[in-house]
Amino acid sequence: MYFAALLARTEDGWEASDTELDDVETLSDLADLAREASPEEDTVLVLIEQEDSWFGVVRVDGEEDPRIYVSDAAAAARSAYGELLLTDELLGREPGADYGPDLDSLDLDGTEDGESEETEDGEESPDGDAVPHSPVGDREILGDLGIGEKELRALDANDALGTIAEVLGASEVLETVR
């Protein structure tokens, strides 16, 4: 289950609209959808939350490139909507590189050679290509709107969008589309 809404800043305050992401296939499509919500090229926020496990904010200011923040990249990577936001650039990867496992080099017979290495404390060593279980993106995405990096990182996924809307003074309009 997911929830997605657009918050467009206007002269009269924030306007909210819910949005279906089923037809959105790329980040460019999402940015275009956001731009359509504000003909005056004002700030538009796309707020997405997925099953209380992660949330994302995409900020579009006119024709500028979208800015993105995702609260838990690993949780978002398991979602089609999260994958939309997790660009190679956002994850610090070389664009277009293949980061899936090289199946020809894997030992799949269950012997010790195919098992992952463990660190000194007994945990498996992290895969260099793994998506982190941490926030990624522009941590100052809402800084000028009253939510700094520290506050953004402290938000809990199950009530983050409500808290963001409250700080923006848009909680009533967000609730009308929820």
Side-chain angles (χ1 to χ4, degrees), residues 150-164:
K150 189 175 184 178
E151 294 86 3
L152 188 61
R153 290 183 60 125
L155 293 175
D156 187 77
N158 65 3
D159 66 349
L161 301 190
T163 302
I164 290 169

Side-chain angles (χ1 to χ4, degrees), residues 60-143:
V60 178
D61 294 301
E63 290 300 316
E64 293 181 25
D65 288 340
R67 297 166 56 194
I68 305 165
Y69 175 83
V70 176
S71 67
D72 183 336
R78 294 188 295 273
S79 159
Y81 303 113
E83 286 181 346
L84 182 73
L85 305 179
L86 297 174
T87 63
D88 287 336
E89 181 181 343
L90 192 70
L91 295 172
R93 295 178 174 172
E94 187 68 33
D98 181 15
Y99 286 94
D102 179 5
L103 297 179
D104 293 332
S105 69
L106 291 178
D107 183 358
L108 301 175
D109 66 1
T111 62
E112 290 180 13
D113 292 341
E115 295 177 4
S116 61
E117 296 178 24
E118 292 187 1
T119 59
E120 289 180 18
D121 60 6
E123 292 185 18
E124 289 187 10
S125 61
D127 180 359
D129 299 330
V131 177
H133 280 282
S134 62
V136 295
D138 185 347
R139 292 181 173 100
E140 288 295 324
I141 192 169
L142 301 173

